[in-house]
Each structure stands twice: as C-alpha cells, then as structure tokens.
C-alpha cells in the first residue's frame, strides 16, 4: 500500500512534468499543496468520478487557478475522464487541461478560475446554494441536500478586494459548510509577500465571523486531517491556515518565487525526483499509486447510497422530489413560456407608462411565482433597482421559501457569488446594481459569459436619465463596454412590454448570462401588432413604418431613446420625410438573426441611417456606417434633472431632425 507521501508525490511529479512539457505554467503551488490535497481528496471529499455532476457531491474549487496542474492531477489520479494524454497536452490548443481550469472543458472542474479571488466568491455562492436548497427540500431523516464546499486559495486571492466582500458575507450568512484552505507560503510572482501583504489574516477572518484554524503544517497529513475534522465540526465557515513551502521537493528552488510561474527545468526536476524518492519516468504513475488514488468504487457507492435515500424521499414527498429533479436538470416549468407570453400580451394591451425598472419589478411579480428556482439580490439598492418582488424572502430568515440575498455594497462579490449559485445547480440567480457600478462587477460579468453561467445581471439608472446624482452615477460608456463582452447579450428595453420580453429571454437562456438594463425615468408605451410583439425577442424589429413602402431614413434606437426616435419620425413626416423606426433592445440577439431577417429590418438600399442612444456613439457605426449619423453622448454627464440634461446634450427629436439634414 502506497504511503501518503507517495500519493502526494504523484501530484508533484505530474505538475513538474506537465509544466516542463508545456514550457510554461505554475509548478510551485501544486507541489506545495499536494499533501493537503491528498488528505482532502482521499479522506474527506464526497464525489464520484463516474458522475461529475452528481447532485449531492462536495464541491471543490481551486481559487488559485494558476496552479491548475493540481486539480488536473487530482482528477486524473482519482479516476475522472481525464486521461494521461490530456496531461501531456497541458496548455495546448483544444486540450482539456488549459492553463487555468475551465468548467466547460474539463469533467470535474466546478468553475473556471484564474482571476484571483473569484473562486472563493464562487465557493460562497455554492455554499449558499447548498444551504438554501437544504432549507427547501430536506425533511426529517431525509437530508437529500447535505454536502460541503471546499476551496483552495493563495495569498493573491486574499489580497484581492473580492475576497473581503465574499468572506464578509459568508460569515454573516453563517455558511458552516464552507471550508477554505489558505496556502500560506509567503510567495507571489514578485517574491516574498512580506513587502506588500502583512495583514493579520487569521484575525481578519475571525472578525468576519469565521472559524479560524491557525498554524497548520501543510506538509503533515495528520495535522491536515485534524484541521479538516475540526472545520467540519464547526457551524461557521472555516479558514484553515496551512503553512506550506512553494515548490516543495525541488531542492534549489523550493520556497522561492523562481518556481511560482515557470518550469523548473530538467536539472531541477531530476534533483526533485531524487529528493522526493520518485524513481519513475516523466508521466509514469505506478499501478499501486493509481490504486491508492482510485475513487471510482467509493464514489459509486456514495452515489448509490444517496439514490436509495432519494427513492425513499420520492415515495414520501413525490411533489418535492419532482421539483428537485426538475431544478437540478435546469429545465424550466412547462407552463413558463405560455404564461410569460400571456403576461406580455396583457402588458401590450394595457399599455402602462412606467419606468423600465418598475416594469422589471412587474415582470418579477408575474414570473416569480412560476419559478421557485429564482433567487435574486441587490448591492444595497433594492429600493432603487426594484428587485424585490411580492414573493421575495430574505435568505437569512426566509426559511424554506428563501430566495433573496441582501448583498450589501459588494458589487464584484455579488456577481461572482451569483455565478456560484448558478454553477451549483438548482437556481436561476439574478443580481442588481446601478449600471454605472457594473464597472465594479465587470470581471464577474465577464466570467459568467466565459464559464458560462445563466446569471442575470440587472442594471438600472441606465443613462443621464438618472439625473441629479450627476456624472459619477451616469453611465456613458457602459452599454457599449458590456456589449463587447462575448456571449453576453445586453437588453435595453424601451417600455414595459420590451422589459418583460427581456426578462423572459434571460430566464430561458441556458448557455450564458444576460444583462438587463433599465431606466429610472418613466417611459412611453409603444403601440405594436401581435407580430411586432413576437419580433421583440429577435433583438431588433421595425416598430414604425411610413405608409409608403419606400422610406427616406432609418432611425435606430434603444431604451428611452426609442420615444425620441418616434417623435423625430413624426416631425420628419410633417416635413414630407418618410422615416422607419427600428427598436433594437438587444444588438447581440439581432446580429445572430438570419441575414434575411436583418436585411428586412435594415435594408442595404437605405444608407441614410441615424442611431440614437444616450451613450458612446462609436458602437453604432456598425449599423449606420461612416456615412450615417449617431445622436449620443461622447462625454461625461452633469448634475441636473433628466429632462434638462437630454436637452442640454442634444439627445432630442429636434437634434435627430437636424442630423437628417446632414444626410441629404
């Protein structure tokens, strides 16, 4: 039987060999954390390599994702579908072993990590998901939701501001099944961290309300095991402070920054093999080592035991069991689409003139009762974002109906936690803040698009229409910036109907996030036919056409500026100019439509085009060309009532008419 050191050294060897083969990577962290990983994965982690998506598995997150060979080695050795050929192909095109772990590419990777600190925040979201699901579904003697979330993190994760946001909220929420292991090696890429990281980290986490286990020798399996046992016994989230040596086993480079982010080199690898007593060729793992790591039989046994429990649960609580299975599958209730369409039709008929942020809340009131998996929250702006709906229940005291998170002023942490909720399964999360503060959350939005997760990011107060709070709070470049994130559709609806359609589209999307952007100010209801209502979901459509089949100009607008376009259309009509008005609530969805549809909305023969949006103008050149005009805002706003700002910055129907004169 292989010793613990032998099992851990297999990780070290694979990390050294893969990084050397790739001629790039980070061998130091996997070598330093190998002993901790061995104890956790072999003695504690509840998982099944044969079914990486088993609902009641423990979640393992590698927040310090640069050390990706640690998780690849763990997955390979324990029996996941990650063959040695993939490890030999580390960091190469189309491999399942990218430079940083990617959830969409590698079985067993729970989340995409690399931007430091976000893995910790994702883990907080996963632990929160477990807690809320358990409250909803567990019954006496039948805890079908009962698992932990483990996260490895390094000094860099703890330096990032998001770690403060996420850890503080985790303590407040009492996420007792969250266990973080800090790789306290004192080294980052630039060298010894004592020159820039001298926080008393244990005290910091104790102040957050965490259980802190100090001074654990990260190379002593017995000490590590005791620490994890103590963590599992706590009803608080736990930080295990594990002192390690980066690059452990490399005699000339261990403990130094030289092994952090570069291959060790053949000579140092040979020396490390000798020091560790690892007398095997590169990428060679003896069968007794594989046997010591193999978790397939134990994983199958654990899942089988859970399946037996769930069968009893289904017999006793058939409706709850069906709901649990549906939510785990990610499928929406069968009646959702029909009910949502009925609500949209009702709005079109009634024609409420409200701010789109209010229309968003109305959509939540309509859709929320249909979606028990919906879980939302706002960064201390619930009363402004209008994200609390009639069925909202605080996760702190909402019991089995809990579905709302008061995130506090933590925009970045909020976004990454919401991604964790989505990744866990069983939820459709949304988060919210002012559009201008999407800057704080931007990398979490980018990650939701990259992972991807079906997270819904709600942004209100979308323009200079915010008014008196002034340019610090008035977004200008933000719409364009968010649109440039791949796989991230941005919806900016012009009235209550388009707002409801945007919510429906975001809820039904399963392969990535959506950004829903809403106004502070009241918006005018637009008249539409049934066909036009159906076309909203295509991202752009003809809202108004002149009686003549030949029009002189196309006016393209979004959000509050659609009404500006409609007013300009009427003024132009009085001057004998025929204008088509196109509402384009989501440019990315429109761009994905067949060419025949796009040509039907924006025919190539009409080169006189004007785009209108209260934001950066350059984005709209793709639709109007260099020969078209854009009415927008290429400077920061000002503090004044909204209506005065629109006049001052020239985002008016009269300005549109003046721009038309330039095209003639």
């Amino acid at each position: 039987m292989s010793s613990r050191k032998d099992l851990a050294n297999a990780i070290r060897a694979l990390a050294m060999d893969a990084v050397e083969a790739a001629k790039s990577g980070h061998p130091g962290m996997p070598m330093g954390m190998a002993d901790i990983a061995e104890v956790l994965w072999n003695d504690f982690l509840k998982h099944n390599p044969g079914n990486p998506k088993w609902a009641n598995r423990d979640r393992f997150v590698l927040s310090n994702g640069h050390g990706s060979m640690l998780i690849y080695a763990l997955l390979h050795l324990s029996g996941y579908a990650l063959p040695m050929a993939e490890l030999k192909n580390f960091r190469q095109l189309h491999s399942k072993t990218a430079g940083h772990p990617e959830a969409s590419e590698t079985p067993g990777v729970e989340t995409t990590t690399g931007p430091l600190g976000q893995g910790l925040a994702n883990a907080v979201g996963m632990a929160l998901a477990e807690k809320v699901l358990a409250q909803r579904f567990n019954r006496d003697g039948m805890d079908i939701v009962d698992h932990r979330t483990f996260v490895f993190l390094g000094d860099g994760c703890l330096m990032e501001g998001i770690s403060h946001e996420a850890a503080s909220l985790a303590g407040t929420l009492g996420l007792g099944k969250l266990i973080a292991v800090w790789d306290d090696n004192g080294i980052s890429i630039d060298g010894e961290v004592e020159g820039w990281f001298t926080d008393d980290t244990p005290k910091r986490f104790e102040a957050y309300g965490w259980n802190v286990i100090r001074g654990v020798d990260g190379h002593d399996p017995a000490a590590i095991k005791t620490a994890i046992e103590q963590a599992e016994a706590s009803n608080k989230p736990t930080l295990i402070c594990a002192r390690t040596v980066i690059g452990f086993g490399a005699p000339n480079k261990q403990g130094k920054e030289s092994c952090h982010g570069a291959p060790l080199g053949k000579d140092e690898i040979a020396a490390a093999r000798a020091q560790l007593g690892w007398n095997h060729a590169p990428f060679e793992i003896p069968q007794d080592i594989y046997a010591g790591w193999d978790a397939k039989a134990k994983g199958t046994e654990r899942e089988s035991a859970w399946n037996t429990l769930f069968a009893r649960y289904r017999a006793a609580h058939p409706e709850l069991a069906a709901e649990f299975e549906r939510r785990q599958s990610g499928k929406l209730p069968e009646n959702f689409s029909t009910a949502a369409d009925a609500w949209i039709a009702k709005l079109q008929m009634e024609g409420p003139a409200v701010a789109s942020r209010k229309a968003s809340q109305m959509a939540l009131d309509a859709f929320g009762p249909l979606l028990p998996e919906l879980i939302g929250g706002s960064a201390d702006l619930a009363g402004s974002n209008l994200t609390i709906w009639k069925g909202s229940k605080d996760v702190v005291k909402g019991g089995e109906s809990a579905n709302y998170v008061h995130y506090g002023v933590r925009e970045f942490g909020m976004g990454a936690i919401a991604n964790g909720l989505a990744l866990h399964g069983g939820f459709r999360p949304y988060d919210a803040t002012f559009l201008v503060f999407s800057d704080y959350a931007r990398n979490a939005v980018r990650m939701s698009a990259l992972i991807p997760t079906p997270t819904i990011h709600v942004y209100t107060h979308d323009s200079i229409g915010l008014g008196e709070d002034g340019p610090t709070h008035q977004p200008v470049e933000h719409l364009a910036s968010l649109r440039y994130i791949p796989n991230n559709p941005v919806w900016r609806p012009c009235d209550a109907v388009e707002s409801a359609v945007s919510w429906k589209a975001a809820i039904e999307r399963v392969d990535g996030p959506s950004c829903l952007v809403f106004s502070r100010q009241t918006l005018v209801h637009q008249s539409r036919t049934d066909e036009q209502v159906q076309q909203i979901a295509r991202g752009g459509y003809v809202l108004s056409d002149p009686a003549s089949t030949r029009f002189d100009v196309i006016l393209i607008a979004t959000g509050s500026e659609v009404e500006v376009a409609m007013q300009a259309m009427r003024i132009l009509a009085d001057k004998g100019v025929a204008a088509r008005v196109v509402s384009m609530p989501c440019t990315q969805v429109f761009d994905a439509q067949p060419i025949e549809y796009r040509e039907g909305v924006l025919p190539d023969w009409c080169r006189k085009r004007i785009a209108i949006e209260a934001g950066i103008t350059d984005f709209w050149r793709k639709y109007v060309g260099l020969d078209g005009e854009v009415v927008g805002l290429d400077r920061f706003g000002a503090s004044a009532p909204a209506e005065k700002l629109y006049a001052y910055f020239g985002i008016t129907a009269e300005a549109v008419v003046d721009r038309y004169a330039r095209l003639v």
Side-chain angles (χ1 to χ4, degrees):
M1 185 176 176
S2 300
S3 69
R4 286 192 181 275
K5 283 294 182 185
D6 290 335
L7 297 177
N9 286 340
I11 297 173
R12 296 184 171 104
L14 289 172
M16 292 189 295
D17 295 340
V19 172
E20 183 67 22
K23 303 302 180 187
S24 72
H26 298 258
M29 187 281 270
M31 296 175 74
M33 295 198 79
D35 296 306
I36 304 169
E38 188 277 321
V39 173
L40 174 62
W41 277 61
N42 282 325
D43 289 22
F44 293 95
L45 195 72
K46 185 170 64 176
H47 64 119
N48 182 10
N51 182 13
K53 296 299 184 182
W54 170 37
N56 201 43
R57 69 191 182 279
D58 289 339
R59 272 62 172 178
F60 175 76
V61 175
L62 192 73
S63 189
N64 43 351
H66 53 268
S68 57
M69 270 308 303
L70 177 70
I71 193 168
Y72 298 148
L74 288 165
L75 293 170
H76 170 75
L77 292 167
S78 60
Y80 285 78
L82 192 68
M84 185 66 82
E86 293 290 350
L87 275 63
K88 292 179 178 180
N89 209 29
F90 179 54
R91 286 182 160 234
Q92 305 308 301
L93 187 63
H94 303 312
S95 76
K96 295 185 183 299
T97 49
H100 293 80
E102 297 183 27
S104 62
E105 300 298 323
T106 312
V109 172
E110 297 286 358
T111 180
T112 301
T113 56
L116 293 177
Q118 285 200 65
L120 171 59
N122 293 161
V124 171
M126 294 174 187
L128 176 59
E130 193 274 346
K131 180 175 183 175
V132 176
L133 276 178
Q135 290 173 178
R136 172 71 181 101
F137 289 102
N138 288 352
R139 294 295 183 267
D140 290 344
M142 290 181 280
D143 290 350
I144 62 167
V145 181
D146 183 14
H147 52 266
R148 289 182 169 82
T149 301
F150 296 92
V151 54
F152 282 7
L153 56 126
D155 295 321
C157 292
L158 293 172
M159 284 184 248
E160 290 284 0
I162 191 173
S163 72
H164 299 256
E165 297 181 25
S168 171
L169 187 61
T172 298
L173 297 177
L175 302 180
K177 290 184 177 178
L178 173 64
I179 299 173
V181 183
W182 170 29
D183 183 27
D184 182 16
N185 60 34
I187 298 291
S188 68
I189 289 176
D190 281 355
E192 296 181 5
V193 301
E194 62 186 14
W196 50 87
F197 183 52
T198 58
D199 302 11
D200 190 332
T201 298
K203 282 186 179 179
R204 176 184 144 193
F205 275 75
E206 286 170 349
Y208 293 148
W210 285 53
N211 171 46
V212 177
I213 302 173
R214 302 166 179 250
V216 178
D217 183 346
H219 303 295
D220 180 351
I224 298 163
K225 185 174 182 179
T226 298
I228 298 174
E229 288 171 344
Q230 290 172 354
E232 290 192 341
S234 176
N235 60 2
K236 298 179 179 180
T238 294
L239 178 70
I240 297 173
C241 306
R243 190 67 183 174
T244 64
V245 177
I246 191 170
F248 182 92
N252 302 300
K253 292 188 176 184
Q254 67 179 19
K256 302 175 182 177
E257 66 270 20
S258 58
C259 68
H260 189 298
L264 297 180
K266 291 183 178 180
D267 290 345
E268 185 68 7
I269 289 175
R273 277 182 151 79
Q275 179 156 309
L276 294 169
W278 187 261
N279 303 311
H280 310 288
F283 297 105
E284 179 183 309
I285 304 294
Q287 285 305 309
D288 63 321
I289 299 292
Y290 274 127
W293 273 105
D294 192 351
K296 295 191 294 293
K298 187 184 291 185
T300 299
E301 182 181 331
R302 282 170 168 161
E303 185 172 355
S304 178
W306 182 85
N307 288 336
T308 300
L309 171 65
F310 192 78
R312 287 200 298 115
Y313 181 87
R314 183 188 287 109
H317 309 284
E319 292 183 0
L320 280 173
E323 182 190 345
F324 180 83
E325 290 180 311
R326 180 191 64 77
R327 287 173 60 167
Q328 289 297 316
S329 74
K331 296 179 180 178
L332 295 175
E334 290 183 1
N335 66 330
F336 173 74
S337 182
T338 302
D341 286 343
W343 169 252
I344 292 164
K346 182 174 184 289
L347 285 175
Q348 185 60 49
M349 180 179 65
E350 295 178 352
V354 295
S356 55
R357 61 171 176 157
K358 179 61 181 177
S360 168
Q361 187 179 50
M362 292 162 61
L364 284 169
D365 282 334
F367 299 161
L370 307 171
L371 299 168
E373 59 266 50
L374 197 65
I375 186 168
S378 173
D380 201 46
L381 287 169
S384 295
N385 298 145
L386 300 184
T387 47
I388 292 179
W389 57 283
K390 293 176 182 177
S392 292
K393 299 289 179 63
D394 192 334
V395 296
V396 174
K397 49 190 175 186
E400 74 174 62
S401 302
N403 62 3
Y404 195 86
V405 186
H406 289 279
Y407 285 103
V409 188
R410 300 183 177 97
E411 293 89 356
F412 192 6
M414 171 181 69
I417 289 169
N419 289 341
L421 283 162
L423 284 161
H424 180 279
F427 290 102
R428 295 300 308 271
Y430 65 91
D431 55 44
T433 186
F434 286 0
L435 178 59
V436 75
F437 300 137
S438 65
D439 282 342
Y440 284 134
R442 182 180 172 84
N443 202 256
V445 178
R446 183 178 188 268
M447 292 303 293
S448 55
L450 196 159
I451 293 170
T453 67
T455 311
I456 302 170
H457 305 292
V458 177
Y459 300 123
T460 67
H461 298 63
D462 66 351
S463 67
I464 55 173
L466 175 121
E468 294 87 345
D469 279 338
T472 64
H473 284 52
Q474 293 166 2
V476 175
E477 74 278 20
H478 299 73
L479 284 165
S481 176
L482 290 169
R483 287 170 179 145
Y484 284 131
I485 298 175
N487 192 37
N488 186 51
V490 178
W491 290 84
R492 187 178 184 233
C494 76
D495 65 2
V497 176
E498 286 191 359
S499 298
V501 172
S502 70
W503 263 108
K504 179 174 182 278
I507 290 167
E508 292 181 338
R509 187 167 194 245
V510 297
D511 54 353
S514 300
C515 294
L516 308 184
V517 180
F518 300 116
S519 73
R520 178 194 186 195
Q521 71 273 31
T522 298
L523 303 183
V524 176
H525 172 74
Q526 302 296 333
S527 297
R528 300 176 184 85
T529 64
D530 290 345
E531 183 181 8
Q532 286 173 312
V533 172
Q534 292 298 315
Q535 290 173 341
I536 297 171
R538 306 188 77 163
Y541 64 103
V542 178
L543 179 62
S544 175
D545 252 348
S548 170
T549 56
R550 293 289 288 191
F551 36 85
D552 301 302
V553 63
I554 302 175
L555 309 179
I556 311 166
T558 75
S560 50
E561 288 74 72
V562 168
E563 178 58 18
V564 174
M566 292 294 288
Q567 292 172 7
M569 176 271 293
R570 298 181 188 108
I571 296 171
L572 287 168
D574 291 341
K575 296 177 179 290
V577 178
R580 164 176 279 190
V581 177
V582 171
S583 177
M584 196 171 290
C586 186
T587 62
Q588 298 98 324
V589 171
F590 177 77
D591 290 347
Q593 299 301 310
I595 183 65
E596 295 80 10
Y597 179 81
R598 287 181 282 133
E599 176 68 16
V601 176
L602 300 175
D604 190 60
W605 60 261
C606 185
R607 299 304 309 159
K608 294 178 182 177
R609 302 180 181 186
I610 305 172
I612 313 125
E613 185 173 71
I616 293 293
T617 61
D618 278 359
F619 174 84
W620 290 99
R621 290 292 169 191
K622 64 189 281 190
Y623 299 107
V624 304
L626 297 177
D627 54 340
E629 291 284 336
V630 184
V631 175
L633 193 66
D634 289 314
R635 54 154 290 182
F636 296 116
S639 179
E643 61 276 10
K644 293 186 177 179
L645 291 172
Y646 273 85
Y648 177 75
F649 289 113
I651 305 174
T652 63
E654 291 75 18
V656 175
V657 174
D658 289 344
R659 295 294 185 94
Y660 175 74
R662 299 184 190 180
L663 299 175
V664 177

